[in-house]
Amino acid sequence: IETPKTKAVNLLKKAASAAHSKGLAKLAHEISTYDGPFDKIKGMMQKMIFQLMGEQKDEDEHKLWCDMETEKSTESKDDKADKVALYTRKVAEMDATIKVLTKQIVENNAKVAAIMEYKDQETMLRDENHAEILATIKDSTDAQAAISDAISVLKDFYMESGMIAKEPWEFVQTRSRRDVELPDSPATWDSSYTGTTDPKSGADGVLTLLDETMQKFSQQEADCKVSDDTDQKEYEQDMANQKVEIDETTTDTQMKTSKKDAVEEKMHGMAGVLKSTSSELDAVEQYLKDLEPACGTGDSSYADRKQAR
């Protein structure tokens, strides 16, 4: 049969186990081994009640501290986690901006290099074309001079032969204007020539052909000069346009370089803040883990322990 004493001991042991109270366990042990009057036991129980109240007060204060530390640390962890996410996103955005600017700067540099190469090629082609035109103009000028001399010699010959009437003032001349003498029968003359054909008439007229040829060379010279002037103007305008393009691209590169440098500096600062905040977040998370052994519920809750007391 379970006696009141045994029942009290068992209740105390159960309560001690539920409340994790060493004091209750000690009381249960003392009661189970005590053989004295019940008044002494009542005193021991009263003493234990005070001890349990003290334990509850201590646990209340400890729980309050745990709740405050946990709440404060959890809020800090959430705040720092939000900041880490924000800083990480900003660093990623700035890094993307830097990569875009770097790509654009490289493209601008390549564009300027291509324009410079184009200018060099166009300048070389222009110089070559100008040299060819000058050579053609010289050939035309030389040809005109040669034809002019030939016309002069033939005119003198035809005048002496009577094929061309002399001007009144020309009768006083006794020699060719260029002192050129032709043989009586030039080897280059056609053997069928009779001297009766007008050298200026007909498709085969020598003087007419020479005059027309000289006009063609004269026209060629004029066309070459006009073409050269036009090419030079177009070249100069093209070079001016290319210079504007280079200046605009260079200015754009300078602006992008300045912006890239500024973003890089800002990103480095943000990366430092991110690293510091990440370290603080790690510390808070570790602190919350360290609180678990001291503030954790274990195999019973605070409410269960309080009820057991």
Side-chain angles (χ1 to χ4, degrees):
I1 299 174
E2 187 178 32
T3 64
K5 178 180 177 182
T6 303
K7 185 181 291 188
V9 170
N10 290 336
L11 287 174
L12 287 172
K13 286 182 177 181
K14 185 177 180 181
S17 176
H20 296 280
S21 174
K22 294 180 179 180
L24 284 175
K26 182 180 179 182
L27 177 60
H29 176 71
E30 290 180 354
I31 291 175
S32 66
T33 58
Y34 184 72
D35 294 329
F38 190 71
D39 291 341
K40 182 73 176 286
I41 294 177
K42 289 174 62 178
M44 294 172 62
M45 293 181 67
Q46 186 64 41
K47 180 179 179 182
M48 180 51 58
I49 290 173
F50 290 134
Q51 184 175 348
L52 290 174
M53 291 175 64
E55 288 180 359
Q56 186 62 47
K57 182 175 179 297
D58 292 341
E59 185 167 5
D60 287 343
E61 293 176 352
H62 179 69
K63 183 177 184 302
L64 178 61
W65 178 83
C66 284
D67 290 345
M68 292 178 62
E69 286 296 303
T70 301
E71 181 181 1
K72 180 176 66 177
S73 298
T74 300
E75 290 178 354
S76 177
K77 184 192 75 170
D78 293 342
D79 177 65
K80 294 183 186 306
D82 290 341
K83 288 182 179 178
V84 166
L86 174 63
Y87 298 153
T88 300
R89 185 173 66 254
K90 287 187 176 181
V91 168
E93 290 173 353
M94 287 185 281
D95 182 64
T97 299
I98 291 171
K99 288 179 179 177
V100 171
L101 290 172
T102 300
K103 181 175 179 293
Q104 291 174 342
I105 290 171
V106 171
E107 290 174 349
N108 279 354
N109 291 337
K111 181 180 179 180
V112 170
I115 294 175
M116 294 299 296
E117 182 178 359
Y118 169 81
K119 289 181 64 178
D120 291 341
Q121 291 177 346
E122 288 299 306
T123 299
M124 181 182 68
L125 292 174
R126 172 61 192 142
D127 291 342
E128 291 176 354
N129 186 54
H130 181 62
E132 290 178 0
I133 290 177
L134 290 180
T136 301
I137 291 174
K138 184 178 184 305
D139 290 343
S140 298
T141 302
D142 292 345
Q144 291 177 73
I147 292 174
S148 178
D149 289 342
I151 290 174
S152 177
V153 170
L154 286 175
K155 278 186 176 181
D156 287 344
F157 171 76
Y158 290 141
M159 287 179 183
E160 291 295 331
S161 65
M163 294 182 65
I164 297 178
K166 291 184 178 181
E167 299 293 338
W169 55 268
E170 291 180 311
F171 285 100
V172 300
Q173 295 182 345
T174 58
R175 293 180 60 83
S176 170
R177 283 174 298 174
R178 294 183 180 274
D179 297 330
V180 178
E181 296 183 1
L182 293 177
D184 294 336
S185 301
T188 57
W189 288 11
D190 193 309
S191 60
S192 63
Y193 174 68
T194 61
T196 60
T197 303
D198 185 352
K200 290 187 177 181
S201 65
D204 296 330
V206 176
L207 292 178
T208 300
L209 291 175
L210 289 176
D211 185 60
E212 290 177 351
T213 301
M214 187 167 66
Q215 289 179 14
K216 289 181 179 179
F217 278 115
S218 176
Q219 185 62 47
Q220 182 184 53
E221 178 184 357
D223 291 343
C224 285
K225 289 180 178 179
V226 171
S227 176
D228 191 51
D229 288 342
T230 300
D231 290 347
Q232 182 63 28
K233 289 178 181 179
E234 291 178 350
Y235 166 77
E236 291 175 354
Q237 183 61 52
D238 187 26
M239 292 300 102
N241 293 339
Q242 299 305 320
K243 183 179 183 302
V244 170
E245 188 73 14
I246 288 176
D247 291 343
E248 290 178 350
T249 304
T250 300
T251 300
D252 184 64
T253 299
Q254 292 172 348
M255 293 174 61
K256 283 181 168 58
T257 300
S258 298
K259 183 177 180 180
K260 182 176 75 72
D261 293 342
V263 174
E264 283 179 342
E265 183 177 356
K266 187 176 180 180
M267 187 184 72
H268 291 155
M270 184 66 68
V273 174
L274 172 60
K275 182 178 180 181
S276 174
T277 306
S278 297
S279 297
E280 293 174 359
L281 175 61
D282 292 340
V284 172
E285 290 177 340
Q286 184 60 48
Y287 181 63
L288 284 171
K289 291 180 180 180
D290 293 341
L291 284 177
E292 290 179 1
C295 299
T297 59
D299 57 1
S300 64
S301 65
Y302 165 80
D304 291 338
R305 292 192 297 272
K306 184 175 182 180
Q307 181 64 34
R309 293 192 183 97

